[in-house]
Amino acid sequence: MNEIFSIEGKVAVITGAGGVLGGSIAKSFVKAGAKVVAMDIRQENLDVRVKELTDLGGEAIGLVGNVLDIPSLDAAAQEIIKKWGRIDILLNIAGGNIPGATLAPDQEFFDMKIADWDKVTNLNMNGTVYPSYVFGNVMSKQKSGSIINISSMAALQSITRVPGYSAAKAAVSNFTQWLATEMSMKYGDGVRVNAIAPGFFIGDQNRAVLLNPDGSLTERSVKVLANTPMNRFGDINELNGAVQFLCSEAASFITGVVLPIDGGFSIYSGV
Ligand code: NAD
């Protein structure tokens, strides 16, 4: 039974691997025997990550790459093919909100700078589309592979103060369904595309809006927990099992799903 969940020996490209969520998944992947290509725009993030992964006894390389730059992704794909001959898994994790694109409590939509809207939508939408275009093309030639995107609760229903991030994550969910359909119609069950939609996890990008400097809950996080039947935030490691499942043989007939991992936030009516 356990074998159908195996990702042992699979070559997995993880964008944003220098970050919190990418780091947690990368570590769980090397522990499960995958060969990890950790990709990030920031060299300093990668150096730390690759050392951690190899210290765990895993096979891992770090590649500096920009998910918004096709030539840099093409160069990475060539290097991976030269080293390991194939790409089995793509985890599109690079992304997140940017400070200027979050409206302060006393701001309205019309105060937002359009440049910040452009940055946040570009990173979260195109930062998923471009790596899928480059690494997914390798998978199409192999006629096998699995792509996992990161959507968000903000894609499912309106979350105040984060318009650009929400719109871009809604685009990620839609693109997941579109590409899943396209790949299955062309390559049958060979290339699958799915997404996870994490609920509320305390990370570097949202710590300041969810926790006060003394660690107590902000007014916003009190509301989040009141709408989360499990009444707690997620632990970043609670995403790892779902991602591995979606990449494995156990999910061989699953494509185009956007799986909420949210303690029930998305299904609670508030009553
Ligand atoms: P993080 O900021 O810790 O990590 C993001 C990483 O992406 C960083 O290492 C950064 O250097 C890298 N990056 C940024 N721009 C890049 C680019 N152009 N090319 C390549 N790499 C780039 O963020 P995180 O909390 O780990 O979030 C990762 C993903 O999970 C994001 O898509 C985010 O929207 C999503 N998410 C996070 C949460 C949460 O609570 N943390 C909830 C829902 C969804």
Side-chain angles (χ1 to χ4, degrees):
M1 182 66 183
N2 283 341
E3 251 173 47
I4 65 170
F5 294 98
S6 173
I7 52 166
E8 196 170 357
K10 301 270 187 206
V11 177
V13 180
I14 306 181
T15 73
V20 176
L21 203 150
S24 171
I25 297 178
K27 283 184 242 172
S28 84
F29 264 46
V30 296
K31 285 184 198 158
K35 296 172 180 169
V36 167
V37 180
M39 183 179 283
D40 205 282
I41 201 168
R42 296 213 297 261
Q43 176 80 59
E44 66 276 18
N45 288 12
L46 271 186
D47 293 343
V48 176
R49 186 67 68 230
V50 172
K51 182 169 182 325
E52 275 174 2
L53 298 177
T54 47
D55 283 353
L56 285 169
E59 277 194 85
I61 57 168
L63 293 179
V64 176
N66 180 355
V67 292
L68 297 174
D69 181 58
I70 295 279
S72 115
L73 296 169
D74 277 335
Q78 280 174 26
E79 213 168 318
I80 299 160
I81 296 300
K82 207 160 106 194
K83 181 160 177 69
W84 279 322
R86 54 187 296 110
I87 297 172
D88 300 301
I89 293 169
L90 167 64
L91 308 183
N92 280 316
I93 296 180
N97 205 3
I98 60 167
T102 301
L103 302 180
D106 60 347
Q107 279 184 315
E108 59 173 306
F109 175 56
F110 310 103
D111 297 319
M112 183 191 73
K113 291 196 178 64
I114 288 296
D116 289 328
W117 167 275
D118 289 347
K119 264 191 231 159
V120 78
T121 52
N122 196 25
L123 175 61
N124 287 283
M125 183 177 74
N126 292 332
T128 295
V129 174
Y130 294 5
S132 303
Y133 179 78
V134 172
F135 301 120
N137 193 19
V138 175
M139 294 176 181
S140 77
K141 291 190 177 112
Q142 294 167 178
K143 298 192 171 33
S144 76
S146 175
I147 298 176
I148 309 292
N149 299 325
I150 312 290
S151 183
S152 165
M153 285 301 107
L156 302 175
Q157 53 192 342
S158 178
I159 305 245
T160 55
R161 297 173 51 194
V162 288
Y165 181 75
S166 304
K169 290 297 190 182
V172 167
S173 293
N174 184 279
F175 176 66
T176 300
Q177 295 170 339
W178 184 86
L179 191 63
T181 306
E182 170 78 3
M183 290 291 106
S184 292
M185 290 177 79
K186 295 267 159 54
Y187 308 107
D189 61 4
V191 182
R192 297 180 299 105
V193 186
N194 291 293
I196 58 167
F200 290 80
F201 295 73
I202 303 213
D204 291 344
Q205 294 167 10
N206 60 8
R207 184 169 285 107
V209 289
L210 293 179
L211 295 179
N212 293 314
D214 65 2
S216 60
L217 298 178
T218 60
E219 199 184 324
R220 188 172 176 85
S221 59
V222 168
K223 284 188 198 164
V224 168
L225 292 184
N227 281 284
T228 305
M230 287 190 186
N231 194 34
R232 67 169 173 87
F233 295 111
D235 180 306
I236 218 84
N237 296 315
E238 290 177 301
L239 302 171
N240 300 343
V243 173
Q244 178 168 336
F245 159 67
L246 287 172
C247 293
S248 73
E249 192 56 28
S252 56
F253 200 47
I254 299 178
T255 198
V257 303
V258 181
L259 178 66
I261 304 175
D262 65 347
F265 182 90
S266 59
I267 45 94
Y268 184 47
S269 70
V271 178

